[in-house]
Amino acid sequence: MMKQMNPAPPRLAALLISLLTTAACAVDEVPTPPAANIWPDPKLIQELERKKSPFHFHESDVPKYDLPDPLKCADAAIVTTREQWESKRRPETLELFRRHVYGRSPAPGKVTFDILETDAKAIDGQATRKRIKITCTPEKQGVDSFSFEVNLLTPNRAATRVPAFILINNRPIASADPTRAQKNDFWPVEQIIARGYATAVFRTGDVDPDAAGDAARANGVRAAFHAGVEGEDAWATLAAWAWGASRVLDYLQTDPAIDAAKVAVIGHSRGGKTALWAAAQDTRFALAISNCSGRGGASLARRRMGETVKVINKAFPYWFCDNFKKYDDKEDDLPVDQHQLISLIAPRAVYVASAEADFWADQRGEFLALANANPVFTLYGQPAIKLDEMPPLETPLIRGTRAYHIRRGVHNLTLYDWQRYMDYADTLWPKPATHQ
Ligand code: GTR
């Protein structure tokens, strides 16, 4: 187990930051973040107290916990090189997440694409929109194939292949409408295209219904692809959606407008959990973006803040594999925690973001999972993130291939978030000279 440094409680941290920054100002005149930017605002805590919120939101409620060491192998050997990580502990870690958390996904079988519609003058002529049907046929003969649709918008002014963001849309079509009849900052396509990126979107429910029960399951990909993936570690809905994101990437690899080595997978909340699991398994994703993903996403389960394992398993019993239910109220028994999920993405890029008032998702737990992935990222020469350097509001922390911000406001995916993600992508993937 890794020694878990206890981050300073928020008010103490605020005081320390203000003392330290005051001292720094006296010497260097370094501008300090206004006190109002320090998270959490005590008023938010008071509001939760007033409402008698039944979940834990005080830092003092976090139990003492030890995180599994991401570099420690099943035979107790400690990984010291990238090669050992990639050949030994990374596969072991993936297997633990498959077996205990998200379940085991099947191979996609034969994957084919049909362009159902092309509009070369989308968004006032700024973009080309394609609607594509993706069909996957299991290897086993006599089994039904499964199809779902994705929409892709690419900038018309691009002179070369462009990077793309795949949005996993867990909300109604109005939140991410490819026709742009309805506009919503959940998917600000106009801005994405204006900044020279392509973007694809698919709806989670088209891959696997976001509902419990056999009737729902019968309408999803898990009905067609069940052979070899049954039992307590069979794939569940989040894994099915992640599998869908990989199929979208299969298509993007064939599209001449896309630079498939520069594809980000992004999701909000349940979509954010999915984005992380997709990128953990599928190393073709160059960047994973977890927006307010919370429990089962970026936040550390062992902190038991906000939504706990038991609560999420009760509310959404079909999101995780059956084995995950064994950890209700037993977070310390989990053989992995979410810093290891983020470690699986190393050295590729991961951006984790939280919202100021989203205590249910455990904002600090999200930051700490990112920071506690240090041992694996540093194996690749990436800089470390200190456990006590959670940044002030709307002050992104960029550390090599990891980034984090906490935005003002509530649980949502907003234009502010997208702007920061694109700013970060700009640094990862500088625009070629030919690109206007
Ligand atoms: C919440 C749930 C979270 C999160 C979110 C969402 O109700 O408790 O785990 O996934 O929904 O997807 O909107």
Side-chain angles (χ1 to χ4, degrees), residues 170 268-270 273 295 307 312 316 319 360 411:
N170 54 294
H268 165 67
S269 204
R270 65 199 75 183
K273 307 178 208 296
R295 181 65 52 240
E307 186 175 31
I312 202 168
F316 304 101
W319 279 1
W360 186 238
H411 186 73

Side-chain angles (χ1 to χ4, degrees), residues 6-28:
N6 227 351
R11 268 170 229 157
L12 183 60
L15 183 67
L16 279 174
I17 290 172
S18 93
L19 284 175
L20 286 172
T21 46
T22 311
C25 270
V27 184
D28 296 335

Side-chain angles (χ1 to χ4, degrees), residues 40 58 79 92 148 177 190 207 212 237 244 251 311 313 357 420 427:
H58 284 288
V79 158
E92 283 181 4
F148 70 102
D177 178 3
E190 291 70 18
V207 176
T237 303
Y251 169 73
V311 168
N313 274 332
R420 298 300 75 75
T427 69

